Amino acid sequence: MVAVAGGSGFVGSHFVSEYRGRRSFRILSRTEKASRSLGGNRLTYAECDLFRLEEIRSALRGCTSAIYLVHSMAPSSRLMQARFEDADLLLADNFARAAEKEGVEHVVYLSGIQPEGSEAVSLHLASRKEVESVLRKRIPSVTVLRAGVIFGPGGSSFTLIANLVRRLPVMIYPKWVRSWTHSTDVSDISWALEQCLEDETLAGGTYDIGGHEAQPYGDLIRRIGDYTGRKPKAFRVPFNAFVLSKWWVSLFGGMPLQLVEPLQDSLRHDLHVRDNPLQLRLRERGSRSLRDSTLASVDEDGAPKRLPSRLKADERQRKVREESLVRSIQRMPFPNGWTSQDLAAEYARWLDGLFGPLIKSNVDDEGVVRVGLAGMRSPLLVLKPQDFEDSERAVYTIESGLLVRSDRPAGYFDFRIVSEGKELITCLSGYAPALPWWLYVIAQARIHKLVMWLFGRRLARISK
């Protein structure tokens, strides 16, 4: 039984569909409907929120191998106060902790090709490399595949490029079109994932994968246009214009801005596949050509094909909106030698005096934190300690209070030491505010973000 985190997504669904006759898979997905749509023999599914460690442990139980295909650039809550790299770090740490507890011995992770040399790496690619390190900290064997643009029905990067070619009769080519990339077909990625599971000699290595010939992005765009019968006129400019171009790329590329921005930032790098044993095998095996990859990824009109097994984006976002939950994640430094319990206790003490006599915070003998307005009997928030046995993780559940909806499951507030003990991640997740949504967004949400920023500054001062 191989667990596939992100198994209902683009790469996961292609891989599972191709190899389900050879293996048994357990698909980890946030939505039962998305997982059920894969169907078939030798497939089970686990409805699993990767922000909840206990749910991941349950989903991984009985699996000794797993594939990790998770990226968090798309919003997963109605309000998402988080940078994508912080969310990716937290999810990877959750998965690694659960895998360690459940005895998962081998994980294959799909990462991104890293640029050569010592140039400053984009946040997108730096985040991919950070996830590699987090997984390797706790799992005995982690095999890393690094890929560039992946062609196939449902692929985000290909869909974005194909939509631009199809919708724009005139294209402005910024400086980044001169950067080199090494694209590949999703069938090559599926084959490489299977090789990493099948061949023990590959376990623990890092392998770049590229099935098509390396070329500048400008040539890639032009060739996609040629194959799909679209030949927009192109005008080059000597700058990247990322701030401006992200908006029109999102609009005409048909992708959310949260997804476009980190992907676009990586376009300034030359990404070349380094020779390695797995890449040599792919060359000997043969790969689908760029032309065939393009035509297999679009319909008769040149529009990118959608992935049948995935929930439609609008339906998924509708569910997120109906849940009206909040997720807020911050990364901050912390004093050397402190445990997560020290950090949680410092937060409760510091909060008591933050707004002078207006806000009061107290901790009882059982460690329950009550936050309220001075003079009011009913607290605004009641935080109950749950997991304080791990020196790197302290978790409160948001039990009750005037600011909490009582008809929803309890959210939680997590203090997590990550990055090999160098950084703190705080995460408010699954929180259902009692205030009307519009009022929460303009008032309480901004206050929470300000409070966490101030707490981060306090920890930075203590650290110095």
Side-chain angles (χ1 to χ4, degrees):
M1 180 71 71
V2 178
V4 186
S8 60
F10 166 49
V11 173
S13 60
H14 280 282
F15 169 66
V16 170
S17 296
E18 189 164 349
Y19 289 98
R20 63 185 178 186
R22 183 180 298 186
R23 295 186 180 277
S24 296
F25 294 106
R26 181 178 299 156
I27 312 300
L28 279 59
S29 174
R30 270 197 311 119
T31 55
E32 177 180 330
K33 185 176 180 180
S35 296
R36 281 188 181 277
S37 63
L38 290 170
N41 298 327
R42 307 186 71 177
L43 285 181
T44 59
Y45 69 91
E47 190 173 354
C48 174
D49 182 355
L50 293 178
F51 281 96
R52 293 187 176 272
L53 183 59
E54 296 73 18
E55 291 187 15
I56 308 175
R57 287 194 60 179
S58 176
L60 292 179
R61 202 154 291 147
C63 298
T64 56
S65 298
I67 295 178
Y68 190 72
L69 304 170
V70 176
H71 305 306
S72 58
M73 290 181 287
S76 56
S77 286
R78 187 174 180 182
L79 181 64
M80 186 79 170
Q81 290 179 323
R83 299 186 304 182
F84 77 89
E85 64 269 25
D86 295 341
D88 271 344
L89 173 60
L90 180 65
L91 292 176
D93 190 69
N94 264 353
F95 189 84
R97 287 170 179 270
E100 181 183 41
K101 292 287 187 182
E102 297 302 325
V104 176
E105 299 171 356
H106 182 209
V107 170
V108 184
Y109 170 54
L110 180 59
S111 184
I113 297 175
Q114 298 292 315
E116 297 179 355
S118 57
E119 64 174 308
V121 180
S122 70
L123 286 175
H124 175 230
L125 295 178
S127 174
R128 296 291 179 264
K129 195 167 184 179
E130 183 177 52
V131 169
E132 296 174 15
S133 300
V134 170
L135 295 175
R136 280 178 164 152
K137 178 185 176 183
R138 296 179 180 275
I139 300 167
S141 178
V142 175
T143 306
V144 175
L145 295 179
R146 291 176 174 173
V149 178
I150 302 176
F151 281 56
S156 298
S157 297
F158 173 80
T159 296
L160 189 150
I161 296 173
N163 275 336
L164 290 177
V165 171
R166 183 169 65 97
R167 294 171 177 173
L168 294 176
V170 178
M171 295 182 68
I172 298 175
Y173 275 9
K175 185 178 177 181
W176 59 258
V177 300
R178 305 172 195 169
S179 300
W180 283 66
T181 187
H182 207 148
S183 57
T184 194
D185 193 82
V186 69
S187 62
D188 298 332
I189 299 297
S190 296
W191 171 85
L193 291 170
E194 174 63 19
Q195 289 288 301
C196 292
L197 292 174
E198 184 73 24
D199 189 347
E200 294 182 358
T201 65
L202 296 174
T206 299
Y207 309 100
D208 292 352
I209 292 294
H212 304 146
E213 60 272 33
Q215 59 194 309
Y217 281 101
D219 290 356
L220 180 66
I221 294 170
R222 177 185 56 78
R223 293 177 68 181
I224 291 175
D226 289 343
Y227 299 145
T228 57
R230 301 289 198 279
K231 296 184 179 182
K233 294 183 180 297
F235 297 92
R236 293 180 181 268
V237 294
F239 45 83
N240 279 321
F242 282 145
V243 175
L244 175 64
S245 64
K246 67 182 180 183
W247 294 98
W248 64 262
V249 169
S250 174
L251 176 64
F252 293 102
M255 289 289 167
L257 189 63
Q258 298 94 331
L259 181 63
V260 169
E261 194 165 9
L263 290 176
Q264 180 182 254
D265 188 34
S266 300
L267 297 177
R268 56 189 169 90
H269 297 300
D270 288 326
L271 302 179
H272 293 284
V273 167
R274 300 161 181 83
D275 282 340
N276 61 79
L278 192 56
Q279 177 68 7
L280 293 175
R281 290 187 195 180
L282 179 60
R283 288 176 186 166
E284 293 173 359
R285 165 184 174 267
S287 175
R288 179 178 280 180
S289 68
L290 178 65
R291 180 181 185 278
D292 290 344
S293 290
T294 301
L295 296 180
S297 305
V298 298
D299 60 21
E300 300 81 6
D301 299 322
K305 292 179 181 177
R306 301 196 69 176
L307 197 60
S309 61
R310 297 183 69 180
L311 282 174
K312 292 182 180 179
D314 54 354
E315 186 175 348
R316 183 168 61 248
Q317 290 306 311
R318 179 185 58 79
K319 183 175 181 180
V320 166
R321 185 177 179 83
E322 286 178 352
E323 290 175 340
S324 293
L325 300 180
V326 174
R327 184 163 286 134
S328 183
I329 304 171
Q330 291 80 30
R331 186 190 309 221
M332 54 189 74
F334 70 95
N336 186 36
W338 282 32
T339 66
S340 58
Q341 293 88 342
D342 296 330
L343 293 160
E346 173 64 19
Y347 179 78
R349 287 193 301 268
W350 168 81
L351 191 61
D352 187 46
L354 178 61
F355 295 105
L358 181 62
I359 300 291
K360 305 299 294 181
S361 172
N362 64 79
V363 185
D364 65 18
D365 294 339
E366 296 181 350
V368 176
V369 180
R370 289 177 172 82
V371 181
L373 292 173
M376 289 186 62
R377 289 188 176 183
S378 299
L380 298 175
L381 295 168
V382 178
L383 309 178
K384 184 177 180 181
Q386 291 296 315
D387 185 358
F388 273 60
E389 297 178 0
D390 187 341
S391 64
E392 293 187 339
R393 185 171 185 253
V395 181
Y396 292 98
T397 55
I398 306 171
E399 292 290 302
S400 58
L402 296 176
L403 296 178
V404 182
R405 286 187 59 171
S406 59
D407 60 336
R408 296 293 183 88
Y412 66 89
F413 194 28
D414 190 339
F415 292 81
R416 183 87 58 93
I417 296 175
V418 294
S419 300
E420 299 181 351
K422 298 176 183 176
E423 292 179 302
L424 168 70
I425 283 278
T426 64
C427 177
L428 171 71
S429 188
Y431 169 58
L435 290 176
W437 187 257
W438 66 269
L439 182 57
Y440 174 81
V441 170
I442 66 173
Q444 187 184 342
R446 295 185 178 185
I447 292 173
H448 172 75
K449 193 172 182 179
L450 173 63
V451 167
M452 298 315 298
W453 179 76
L454 292 171
F455 184 57
R457 291 193 63 184
R458 173 173 176 78
L459 292 182
R461 287 195 299 269
I462 296 174
S463 300
K464 293 179 180 179

